[in-house]
Amino acid sequence: MKNIFDRLLDKMDEKKTPLMIGLDPNLSKFPDVILREACSKGEGMFAAAEAIRLFNFALIDATHDLVAIYKPQSAYYEQYGSEGIRAL
């Protein structure tokens, strides 16, 4: 089994880029459409985590063929408690 670094190098070779996207969600910068959809499903920490999940999925769906690595910053998720960890 390959270690994480070998897998990362393989992914960079496959995508022909070392490009990485940091997943450091900041709700104040999210599109209104994402926030409205998340708030329609719940409130509080649940809505925040749902917005993060929706945004990250949209970002990954739009860039998966271009990017080798996604790096979430756990502190951005942890601030929303267990719901944030679930979104991570």
Side-chain angles (χ1 to χ4, degrees), residues 31-51:
D32 287 340
V33 66
I34 298 274
L35 297 173
R36 280 193 304 271
E37 183 175 346
C39 287
S40 75
K41 296 178 179 182
E43 53 189 41
M45 297 288 199
F46 177 85
E50 182 64 9

Side-chain angles (χ1 to χ4, degrees), residues 15 17 19-23 55-71:
K15 303 290 182 171
T17 182
L19 186 61
M20 175 190 73
I21 291 180
L23 299 175
F55 184 80
N56 283 353
F57 282 6
L59 181 64
I60 292 167
D61 286 348
T63 62
H64 72 277
D65 58 333
L66 305 170
V67 176
I69 305 162
Y70 295 92
K71 186 193 90 42

Side-chain angles (χ1 to χ4, degrees), residues 1-15:
M1 183 194 281
K2 289 186 175 187
N3 67 41
I4 184 117
F5 298 108
D6 288 334
R7 292 187 350 229
L8 288 172
L9 290 172
D10 288 347
K11 207 42 119 163
M12 287 187 274
D13 287 344
E14 174 189 323
K15 303 290 182 171

